[in-house]
Amino acid sequence: SLSTLGVALTCTITAAGAVWLFDLPWPTAMLIGALLSSTDAAAVFGIFQSRGVTLKQRVASTLEIESGTNDPMAVILTMTLTTALATGASLDMFSIGTDVLWQLVIGLVAGWIGGQAFIQLVRRIPLDFTFVPLLAAASAILVFSLTAKANASGFLAVYLMGYLIGNARLPQLVHILQVQDGLTWLGQILMFLILGLLVTPSQLMDNAALSLSVALILIFVARPLATLICLAPFSFPWREQVFISWVGLRGAVPIILALYPWLSGLEHQALYFDVAFFVVLISLLVQGWTMAPLARWLGLEVPPIPEPAQRVPLESLPSADPLEVWCFPIGTDSLALEHHWQE
């Protein structure tokens, strides 16, 4: 609900505010709203981990699933609106809705097929453990490309594919995750390097009034209203609704999406990038610094669950399920302190 209807509502309410305050054309305002409509899971949980905050399971799961699955919806809206503006086509809501539905459905189907095919391939064909991570990366690229070729959401397809593989209890999963972590860091380094080369501080100030207004509408109006409407059928307590509406943190995704209008050569192409960059900075400063205190004030923090400091796979032992050795450090606050091994 939050990842589909919530994204659409956030986009529309933000666009309406920009049209009302600055008399922007509706297509331009809708594209700005689409760029800023997705939240960033990595930024949200990175802040919580750095502050040592553990949330209630229902709230944490809702935020994680929403942040992971709303990127494809934002990409679909951005691509559709960018194409309409670049070609001069009229914004027919029926055709846009049909296109969005096609991309979502085919993306889900392609992701499910790709995930199941990879799991069966790895289980049936004897492969060296060092080869499986490369096969996983290549399979993701293949599924993304084929799905995009069908004019569907490749992002949604590879997200679902990764979800299925991650929950399949494959003995090679530890190796896949290690390589994926390295590729993720490499991707982030390249991404922020490119963004740093594109941004011009003087241009940011030229659009500061519009950017600040859009950020305030997004944080205090669009996100709370969208959250209230989307969570209404699910009986969330008001404390959880308040927190979820506030933790609509914007990260790198809106800045990346703002490159699409730039690459498409739209009029005022720098405007989209500058607004997205400015809004992300405001979101990180205003919402990022207040998330942990707000979670404690609303009573949504729970004691952290002990996690192993290291996991070592036991690949040499034959077993239907993967076996691992978990290493836990025993500190001064550990429940295992001053107990013997046989206890």
Side-chain angles (χ1 to χ4, degrees):
S1 178
L2 285 170
S3 300
T4 52
L5 178 61
V7 169
L9 288 172
T10 301
C11 171
T12 305
I13 296 171
T14 304
V19 171
W20 181 56
L21 290 176
F22 293 92
D23 200 25
L24 290 178
W26 265 104
T28 301
M30 285 292 291
L31 182 53
I32 291 176
L35 298 176
L36 302 170
S37 57
S38 70
T39 58
D40 194 318
V44 170
F45 288 93
I47 291 175
F48 283 132
Q49 290 174 3
S50 65
R51 302 286 183 87
V53 176
T54 304
L55 294 174
K56 287 184 177 181
Q57 183 62 35
R58 188 186 192 191
V59 178
S61 298
T62 301
L63 290 172
E64 185 174 10
I65 295 171
E66 180 211 2
S67 299
T69 56
N70 64 8
D71 290 345
M73 185 66 176
V75 172
I76 292 170
L77 288 176
T78 300
M79 296 287 286
T80 303
L81 291 167
T82 300
T83 302
L85 286 171
T87 58
S90 59
L91 294 179
D92 181 8
M93 298 309 296
F94 177 77
S95 60
I96 291 177
T98 305
D99 183 49
V100 169
L101 185 62
W102 167 267
Q103 295 197 47
L104 289 175
V105 172
I106 301 301
L108 287 171
V109 172
W112 188 87
I113 294 175
Q116 294 296 339
F118 179 85
I119 293 169
Q120 295 302 320
L121 181 67
V122 172
R123 284 176 174 170
R124 295 175 183 273
I125 300 179
L127 295 173
D128 189 84
F129 277 86
T130 57
F131 181 75
V132 176
L134 300 178
L135 179 63
S139 300
I141 295 173
L142 177 65
V143 170
F144 182 93
S145 303
L146 293 177
T147 308
K149 190 69 175 177
N151 295 321
S153 176
F155 293 98
L156 182 58
V158 294
Y159 181 86
L160 179 58
M161 179 183 176
Y163 177 84
L164 293 173
I165 295 172
N167 287 277
R169 295 182 61 82
L170 297 172
Q172 304 92 336
L173 186 61
V174 175
H175 302 278
I176 295 175
L177 292 176
Q178 290 174 345
V179 174
Q180 291 289 348
D181 283 342
L183 293 176
T184 300
W185 278 107
L186 177 62
Q188 290 185 96
I189 291 170
L190 292 173
M191 177 181 67
F192 284 106
L193 174 63
I194 294 172
L195 297 181
L197 294 173
L198 290 175
V199 68
T200 304
S202 60
Q203 291 183 2
L204 291 177
M205 299 311 299
D206 293 340
N207 299 311
L210 173 61
S211 302
L212 181 60
S213 301
V214 169
L216 294 177
I217 294 170
L218 184 65
I219 294 172
F220 294 103
V221 180
R223 172 69 179 182
L225 281 177
T227 303
L228 181 66
I229 294 172
C230 293
L231 295 184
F234 302 107
S235 303
F236 274 77
W238 70 268
R239 293 175 182 270
E240 296 181 1
Q241 292 193 41
V242 169
F243 186 75
I244 293 173
S245 67
W246 183 251
V247 187
L249 199 65
R250 267 60 195 174
V253 174
I255 306 176
I256 294 296
L257 293 182
L259 296 177
Y260 284 109
W262 196 313
L263 295 172
S264 300
L266 294 186
E267 188 180 4
H268 309 302
Q269 55 190 5
L271 170 68
Y272 301 105
F273 185 82
D274 293 342
V275 170
F277 192 90
F278 206 107
V279 170
V280 168
L281 288 179
I282 295 174
S283 176
L284 291 174
L285 290 173
V286 175
Q287 295 172 295
W289 281 353
T290 56
M291 283 195 305
L294 183 64
R296 295 189 178 102
W297 182 71
L298 292 173
L300 301 179
E301 185 181 11
V302 296
I305 301 174
E307 290 288 342
Q310 187 178 8
R311 297 184 180 187
V312 182
L314 298 177
E315 303 164 358
S316 59
L317 298 180
S319 174
D321 294 323
L323 299 177
E324 295 178 337
V325 173
W326 290 12
C327 305
F328 289 90
I330 300 179
T332 57
D333 58 345
S334 175
L335 296 176
L337 193 65
E338 299 181 355
H339 284 266
H340 296 286
W341 176 257
Q342 59 268 27
E343 298 180 74

